[in-house]
Amino acid sequence: GLIKSSSRNEQQEGVRLLSEITRNAPERRRECLYYLALGNYKLGNYAEARRYNDILLDHEPTNMQAGSLRSLIDDKVAREGMVGVAIVGGLAIAAGVIGGMMFKGTRRR
């Protein structure tokens, strides 16, 4: 329920509760791992999502849900990495243009 909710607050609450269950009931850990990975993925915590998902895949290498989630996590991280590179590149170009304009402005005086 909470992890699959569209409400960020409910997703956070679901991750918190699952983390608590995992700590207090180690015998239930394996069944919580997928939902911890999914909840963190939905919240944008990709490193945590990958960590939980990898632990699950270590125990269950043929788990198809975890395999699919791994692909989703990897795709999202790659996409966000490309957006970050584009932003940094755009800022560098803008700084170069502004610097060039300032340099030309000081040479004319």
Side-chain angles (χ1 to χ4, degrees):
L2 293 174
I3 295 296
K4 294 180 180 180
S5 172
S6 59
S7 164
R8 184 170 178 83
N9 288 336
E10 288 181 0
Q11 292 168 355
Q12 289 171 329
E13 179 68 8
V15 166
R16 187 190 67 71
L17 289 171
L18 284 168
S19 295
E20 193 173 300
I21 291 168
T22 301
R23 268 192 310 279
N24 296 331
E27 69 279 1
R28 307 229 24 216
R29 185 172 192 237
R30 201 176 76 206
E31 63 190 275
C32 293
L33 287 171
Y34 176 76
Y35 290 103
L36 280 166
L38 180 63
N40 278 290
Y41 171 78
K42 290 180 81 172
L43 291 168
N45 303 329
Y46 304 121
E48 281 296 295
R50 181 178 279 149
R51 185 173 72 84
Y52 287 119
N53 202 52
D54 285 348
I55 293 169
L56 177 57
L57 285 169
D58 285 344
H59 293 287
E60 298 179 17
T62 60
N63 186 313
M64 292 177 67
Q65 278 185 308
S68 295
L69 184 55
R70 173 186 266 171
S71 296
L72 288 174
I73 293 166
D74 290 345
D75 289 348
K76 195 70 158 181
V77 168
R79 232 179 292 129
E80 287 198 359
M82 294 303 288
V83 169
V85 168
I87 290 170
V88 170
L91 290 173
I93 291 170
V97 169
I98 292 169
M101 292 170 63
M102 290 174 64
F103 181 71
K104 282 183 180 180
T106 58
R107 283 183 44 195
R108 290 186 181 165
R109 291 180 187 180

